[in-house]
Amino acid sequence: METTFSYQKKRCQFGRQCLFSDKGPDLIDDYPGHTQWMKDFILRDPVDKSTQNAPMQSKHCVNTFRAEFSTSSMNHVEGGWPKDINIQDEEATKRYRRKIEKDDAFNPTIFQLAKTMENCILQNNAINIYQQYFDDVEPAPLIEPSSARIVSVFQDQCPVKRPISHISWSPDNGTKLAMSHCNLTYQAVPKPNESSHSYIWEMENPNTPYLVLKPESPCACLEYNPKDGNLLISGQLDGRVVIWDIRRGSDPVDHSQIEVSHRYPVLNALWITSKSGCEFFSAAPDGKIIWWDMRKLNEPLEVLIVDLVEDRLQCLSNALGVSALEYEASIPTRFMIGCENGQIYSGNRKGKSTMEKLNVKFDAHLGPVLALQRNTAYLKNFLSIGDWTARVWAEDCRESSIMWTSYHKTMLTDGAWSPTRFSVFFTAREDGIMDIWDILQQQKRSVCCIKVCDVSLKCLRCHEMGRLLAVSNSAGSTYLVELSENLTTSTRNEKTLLNAMFERENKREKILEARNREIRLKLQQQQMTEQTAEGGEKRLMNRADDDFEAKWITPEVKQAEEEYMKIVNEELKKRNLKVVEDIPEIDNVTNDDRVEEKQ
């Protein structure tokens, strides 16, 4: 039976119809020459013109003495002996040999000369062309240029094109793609004929969706169950989480109650490792992280509010919004979150309080953390995407990242590690360009750059085999990008070299952190010394005032002051004025100041 597939397309989409005829060529226009115009021009003869296609360079000459070498041969029969050794005397030659063999430099010298001698001997040997000489040597790989090409496009079936907010590959070798369409613009008004549908596509059929998901509210994220390709979870625009089973059709199986759900759109939802295989957790910009069991969505298993101030009660109004979420199945109790203020927190679910659960902090970016993912081979190293740069971190270094890209002119929107080549990661930009980075090859710029589309890229996800990459944009289209073989296949020494690079950068950052701590400690000590010196000066001034009073204010002076005040008060009483209780303080002013005051 022959397998066929009909491809249908409207006539208006083919362009203008081509009409052919047997008519010969026609002259459309002709411009005759004007003999009068020739008189206005002067013929230049001869014409001499030179063009230099290379930049001019300076030249510098230095006179040096050339060393002349000559090659000569000599025949060693007995070997070289000192003049005071008689080669005919056997005892003298044996005694000299024993003396030389006991020298410390004898063995290294022999090994050094043996290589040169062996090379000279092997030059006379003939090579057998039928013998395999290099069985244990790995052939050098051919240098292949890094490249990528678009092989397929999946488009939004809705008349009003909506951005794609999340992509997920199915666990059955990535034969299907789940895409969630959602407009996350703040207070965006839905357009007419705008639907809330999301789609599941088959890789071999980019024309018709495999299944259309019909939620009540648009899906902000959509994630496959890593063990069952029929189950999916989604985070909705209204803050709820929804369970899907593709065997039951396009309608959701179950959803959470809005009273116990998030208050903001659920941007991230990931499955976690559990005995039942039914648990997952979600995060949203409202500052809550909620753990769920798909069999009982009426009540969450655990709720964590990202409020990291110890002295106050946990409150959503003070919580940090979560913009990125990361979970590794091999570390069941650990997770990582990226916040809207640019900080990254490494969490442990076994902690009792919020500070114990989120005990490690990284000051990562200037704006929200848009993507977060651990390296497949080195779980202590993770990638973060935010503002205009991508950074590679190590859990041991908390003050700074160990590697980072230069700041781009346009903002980065998403990023991911390659699952097969551990030194390669991908970044998506708002100008429609996807960059491919290989940190073993070069760190200052990407090894490959591909223009995917003319609109902003939103998210990207790599296939588990590493050869394909799904990249989506804000116009509702997803592009399937195929990478070259050198970007997907690892060499034998790559893992060793990457490990050495991570260790070297980690050690360098630790040295810098220790140096920064030392500088901060010195500054603190200097400030404390300055404060102590200021306090000592004040004490010395007060002490000087006390010494002045004890030295100059004698009993005679006090008696004179009392008599003076008595006379002043008696005069004031005669004039019916207020009595002065104490001697007024005399300001330290000059005669010129008194003259100005009188004037």
Side-chain angles (χ1 to χ4, degrees):
M1 179 178 179
E2 184 179 0
T3 303
T4 59
F5 177 75
S6 60
Y7 181 83
Q8 298 179 358
K9 198 172 185 180
K10 293 183 179 180
R11 175 64 188 82
C12 62
Q13 298 178 358
F14 281 99
R16 185 177 178 183
Q17 184 179 1
C18 297
L19 300 177
F20 301 97
S21 63
D22 296 336
K23 186 178 178 180
D26 294 336
L27 181 62
I28 298 176
D29 202 351
D30 187 16
Y31 296 94
H34 294 271
T35 57
Q36 297 179 357
W37 292 358
M38 295 180 60
K39 300 177 180 180
D40 298 335
F41 293 89
I42 300 175
L43 183 64
R44 186 172 60 181
D45 188 21
V47 177
D48 186 8
K49 187 177 181 181
S50 62
T51 303
Q52 180 68 21
N53 61 351
M56 299 297 294
Q57 297 180 356
S58 62
K59 184 178 179 182
H60 183 68
C61 299
V62 177
N63 294 327
T64 59
F65 294 99
R66 182 181 299 275
E68 297 181 359
F69 299 93
S70 61
T71 304
S72 60
S73 59
M74 58 186 304
N75 186 14
H76 286 277
V77 179
E78 181 61 27
W81 293 92
K83 296 181 179 180
D84 55 346
I85 301 297
N86 185 9
I87 60 175
Q88 304 297 332
D89 188 358
E90 186 177 356
E91 293 294 332
T93 55
K94 287 182 179 181
R95 194 181 307 110
Y96 183 76
R97 285 194 184 99
R98 287 195 298 268
K99 178 182 178 183
I100 294 298
E101 290 175 357
K102 291 181 180 180
D103 192 0
D104 295 337
F106 176 74
N107 291 333
T109 305
I110 293 298
F111 283 118
Q112 185 178 0
L113 296 175
K115 295 180 181 179
T116 306
M117 181 188 65
E118 185 179 5
N119 185 25
C120 296
I121 294 175
L122 293 178
Q123 287 181 357
N124 298 326
N125 295 341
I127 298 177
N128 185 5
I129 62 174
Y130 298 102
Q131 184 177 353
Q132 299 294 333
Y133 290 98
F134 309 103
D135 291 335
D136 56 342
V137 178
E138 182 182 1
L142 298 177
I143 300 176
E144 179 184 1
S146 301
S147 61
R149 64 187 184 96
I150 300 174
V151 296
S152 185
V153 181
F154 304 90
Q155 296 182 350
D156 188 5
Q157 302 299 304
C158 179
V160 180
K161 304 305 179 184
R162 303 157 297 160
I164 297 178
S165 56
H166 198 271
I167 301 175
S168 178
W169 292 89
S170 62
D172 51 350
N173 295 327
T175 58
K176 298 182 185 65
L177 265 175
M179 305 176 191
S180 60
H181 294 259
C182 181
N183 187 8
L184 296 174
T185 305
Y186 181 67
Q187 292 184 348
V189 179
K191 299 179 181 179
N193 300 326
E194 183 178 356
S195 68
S196 60
H197 296 171
S198 295
Y199 306 100
I200 297 178
W201 298 83
E202 281 185 326
M203 297 292 298
E204 299 177 355
N205 186 10
N207 300 315
T208 306
Y210 174 76
L211 183 64
V212 180
L213 304 179
K214 302 176 180 179
E216 298 178 0
S217 177
C219 297
C221 64
L222 191 62
E223 192 70 29
Y224 265 105
N225 189 315
K227 295 183 180 180
D228 190 352
N230 298 316
L231 296 177
L232 297 96
I233 55 172
S234 67
Q236 307 303 110
L237 189 63
D238 57 3
R240 296 182 298 173
V241 292
V242 177
I243 305 298
W244 303 87
D245 192 344
I246 62 178
R247 295 168 294 189
R248 298 190 182 182
S250 301
D251 297 327
V253 176
D254 195 4
H255 60 81
S256 63
Q257 299 296 325
I258 197 168
E259 293 82 6
V260 296
S261 302
H262 296 276
R263 299 183 181 181
Y264 282 69
V266 183
L267 302 181
N268 299 277
L270 296 176
W271 295 89
I272 62 177
T273 304
S274 60
K275 294 181 180 179
S276 61
C278 302
E279 296 182 8
F280 63 96
F281 71 130
S282 60
D286 60 350
K288 284 198 301 185
I289 304 174
I290 305 178
W291 281 265
W292 306 87
D293 191 336
M294 62 174 290
R295 299 168 296 183
K296 188 181 178 182
L297 292 180
N298 296 328
E299 182 180 357
L301 298 177
E302 185 180 353
V303 178
L304 176 62
I305 299 177
V306 189
D307 186 4
L308 301 171
V309 179
E310 297 185 33
D311 299 336
R312 67 187 180 195
L313 297 176
Q314 301 296 311
C315 181
L316 277 178
S317 60
N318 300 322
L320 299 175
V322 181
S323 57
L325 201 61
E326 198 281 332
Y327 179 79
E328 175 60 37
S330 59
I331 317 175
T333 60
R334 299 289 298 276
F335 64 95
M336 298 185 72
I337 61 172
C339 299
E340 291 184 338
N341 62 350
Q343 295 176 347
I344 298 175
Y345 290 91
S346 178
N348 190 350
R349 194 180 175 187
K350 291 184 177 181
K352 296 181 181 180
S353 63
T354 304
M355 299 299 297
E356 291 180 359
K357 290 181 179 180
L358 302 173
N359 54 357
V360 181
K361 183 184 76 171
F362 303 89
D363 293 326
H365 297 279
L366 304 175
V369 181
L370 302 179
L372 200 60
Q373 187 182 12
R374 291 182 183 269
N375 192 292
T376 310
Y378 302 94
L379 301 180
K380 290 185 178 181
N381 300 96
F382 57 92
L383 173 72
S384 67
I385 303 293
D387 43 62
W388 297 269
T389 182
R391 295 178 177 271
V392 179
W393 299 79
E395 289 186 346
D396 300 337
C397 301
R398 303 179 184 180
E399 295 185 5
S400 175
S401 56
I402 60 175
M403 278 181 277
W404 56 88
T405 65
S406 58
Y407 282 89
H408 296 78
K409 295 182 180 179
T410 56
M411 289 188 63
L412 302 184
T413 55
D414 201 359
W417 287 101
S418 172
T420 53
R421 278 213 58 189
F422 310 125
S423 62
V424 174
F425 65 90
F426 314 96
T427 57
R429 295 173 10 197
E430 279 192 347
D431 55 356
I433 296 177
M434 184 190 70
D435 294 320
I436 305 174
W437 299 80
D438 189 352
I439 56 179
L440 279 182
Q441 187 171 348
Q442 56 189 9
Q443 294 85 30
K444 293 185 178 180
R445 56 190 178 92
S446 59
V447 296
C448 182
C449 182
I450 176 173
K451 180 73 173 179
V452 179
C453 58
D454 296 330
V455 296
S456 173
L457 299 180
K458 286 298 180 182
C459 62
L460 59 88
R461 289 294 181 273
C462 193
H463 191 269
E464 61 180 1
M465 302 303 294
R467 193 64 184 268
L468 298 176
L469 195 69
V471 187
S472 65
N473 61 9
S474 58
S477 300
T478 300
Y479 299 86
L480 202 62
V481 180
E482 184 180 8
L483 307 175
S484 57
E485 188 175 356
N486 66 327
L487 294 175
T488 58
T489 306
S490 298
T491 59
R492 186 176 63 178
N493 298 328
E494 180 176 349
K495 196 170 183 180
T496 305
L497 295 175
L498 186 61
N499 186 24
M501 174 181 284
F502 281 156
E503 289 182 355
R504 183 185 71 244
E505 297 297 330
N506 195 357
K507 184 178 179 181
R508 182 177 65 87
E509 289 298 328
K510 286 183 178 179
I511 294 173
L512 294 176
E513 288 181 5
R515 177 59 178 165
N516 291 333
R517 285 194 296 268
E518 183 180 352
I519 294 174
R520 288 196 296 267
L521 184 59
K522 288 183 178 179
L523 292 176
Q524 291 177 1
Q525 292 178 352
Q526 184 177 358
Q527 292 176 359
M528 292 176 63
T529 304
E530 291 176 356
Q531 293 175 0
T532 305
E534 291 177 359
E537 291 178 0
K538 292 181 180 178
R539 288 194 296 271
L540 289 174
M541 292 173 63
N542 295 332
R543 185 177 177 183
D545 295 339
D546 296 340
D547 294 343
F548 176 80
E549 292 180 358
K551 182 176 181 181
W552 297 104
I553 302 178
T554 60
E556 292 79 4
V557 175
K558 288 184 179 181
Q559 184 178 0
E561 288 179 355
E562 292 175 357
E563 292 177 356
Y564 171 76
M565 291 301 300
K566 185 178 180 180
I567 297 171
V568 171
N569 290 331
E570 289 177 355
E571 187 67 25
L572 291 175
K573 287 179 181 180
K574 292 178 181 179
R575 300 181 182 181
N576 296 324
L577 298 176
K578 187 178 179 181
V579 179
V580 180
E581 298 179 354
D582 197 359
I583 299 176
E585 294 181 0
I586 301 175
D587 296 333
N588 186 15
V589 296
T590 61
N591 296 327
D592 297 337
D593 296 334
R594 292 193 179 94
V595 172
E596 291 179 0
E597 290 178 357
K598 291 180 181 180
Q599 291 176 356

